[in-house]
């Protein structure tokens, strides 16, 4: 997997080290553990997916995280992306709308000794106002548009990565930066994510 990532152009040593230290199979059900280190998107239940390693790496790299930062992730899912982020930042806040997925993710954080992750079951498109502002925000589900609430919780100089577009075949990754003169937007290329859905999921 590490060789695949380098070949895919991932150069950030911190990102590579965090991914090397994170056992991806721990975040998958038994049925998919054998494929854990292939460069593939894999199902995690509830019709949700864990992105391919190269996508996780590229998005993490694009976030330009340092160890002093407070980071918000939307869509905890399996917890894999959160585990990678948590090794690079000071504190990670992560919100998931499926309580059952969140419970499993929390068990994994505990098993790995990742004590700087705080989670919440809820609608991540509203962000986490009590903890705002965040220096970095990563959204791992696709929205029709950049959620306003999240933009409002991005610190001065902050960066947000968000997949935008509801048509799975016409989605792209945006990198937004809050500069002195407002928001600068950069398009990072096509991508494919499950949709960001409002409200907490039922059982
Ligand atoms: N980052 C995850 C993969 C995310 S899949 C990982 O590393 O495994 C997208 C996740 O976003 C799913 O778990 C889905 O339930 C969640 N999601 C979708 N809409 C949401 C919302 N409004 N608030 C919080 N989580 C949401």
């Amino acid at each position: 997997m590490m060789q695949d990532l380098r070949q895919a152009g991932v150069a950030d040593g911190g990102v590579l080290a965090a991914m090397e230290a994170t056992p991806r199979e721990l975040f998958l059900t038994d049925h998919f553990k054998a494929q854990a280190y292939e460069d593939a998107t894999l199902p995690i239940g509830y019709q949700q997916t864990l992105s391919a390693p190269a996508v996780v790496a590229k998005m993490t790299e694009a976030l330009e995280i340092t160890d002093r930062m407070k980071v918000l992730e939307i869509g905890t899912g399996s917890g894999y992306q959160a585990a990678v982020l948590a090794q690079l930042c000071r504190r990670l806040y992560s919100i998931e709308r499926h309580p059952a997925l969140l419970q499993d993710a929390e068990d994994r954080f505990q098993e790995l000794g990742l004590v700087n992750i705080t989670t919440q079951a809820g609608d991540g498109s509203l962000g986490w106002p009590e903890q705002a502002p965040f220096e970095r925000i990563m959204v791992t589900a696709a929205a029709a548009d950049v959620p306003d609430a999240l933009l409002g919780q991005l610190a001065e100089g902050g960066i947000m990565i968000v997949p935008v577009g509801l048509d799975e075949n016409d989605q792209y990754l945006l990198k937004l930066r809050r500069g002195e003169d407002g928001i600068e937007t950069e398009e990072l290329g096509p991508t494919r994510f499950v949709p960001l859905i409002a409200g907490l999921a039922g059982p």
Side-chain angles (χ1 to χ4, degrees):
M1 182 183 92
M2 298 313 295
Q3 207 171 344
D4 285 348
L5 293 181
R6 286 190 193 93
Q7 251 161 30
V10 180
D12 187 308
V15 174
L16 290 167
M19 290 193 56
E20 190 156 27
T22 309
R24 196 163 180 265
E25 78 275 1
L26 180 67
F27 295 84
L28 294 163
T29 55
D30 287 347
H31 190 69
F32 293 103
K33 283 190 194 299
Q35 285 162 265
Y37 298 101
E38 291 171 15
D39 197 31
T41 302
L42 295 172
I44 57 171
Y46 300 90
Q47 297 171 324
Q48 304 304 315
T49 53
L50 168 54
S51 298
V55 175
V56 171
K58 293 266 188 180
M59 285 174 70
T60 308
E61 197 170 41
L63 216 48
E64 302 175 30
I65 301 175
T66 70
D67 60 7
R68 302 301 312 149
M69 290 176 175
K70 187 169 167 180
V71 180
L72 174 66
E73 180 200 23
I74 307 305
T76 318
S78 69
Y80 180 75
Q81 173 75 74
V84 172
L85 291 170
Q87 293 171 69
L88 298 167
C89 69
R90 178 170 60 82
R91 180 154 284 279
L92 179 73
Y93 294 85
S94 186
I95 307 177
E96 168 58 51
R97 66 184 291 277
H98 275 288
L101 284 176
L102 191 57
Q103 183 58 59
D104 287 348
E106 280 179 343
D107 292 346
R108 291 163 182 149
F109 302 149
Q110 201 169 7
E111 192 173 335
L112 293 175
L114 293 168
V115 294
N116 63 336
I117 305 178
T118 308
T119 64
Q120 186 192 120
D123 184 354
S125 55
L126 307 174
W128 197 319
E130 299 81 3
Q131 291 297 341
F134 298 94
E135 276 112 19
R136 299 289 186 262
I137 299 179
M138 183 187 285
V139 186
T140 67
D145 242 316
V146 180
D148 281 339
L150 296 182
L151 214 44
Q153 292 173 29
L154 187 63
E156 187 76 45
I159 297 175
M160 168 157 57
I161 305 287
V162 52
V164 166
L166 289 187
D167 178 352
E168 266 202 15
N169 298 309
D170 186 21
Q171 239 181 52
Y172 44 96
L173 208 55
L174 291 187
K175 176 171 179 173
L176 308 157
R177 196 188 292 263
R178 182 180 290 288
E180 276 176 15
D181 306 322
I183 303 285
E184 300 157 33
T185 306
E186 185 187 338
E187 205 183 303
L188 298 183
T191 193
R192 192 178 272 223
F193 275 85
V194 294
L196 189 72
I197 298 170
L200 190 66

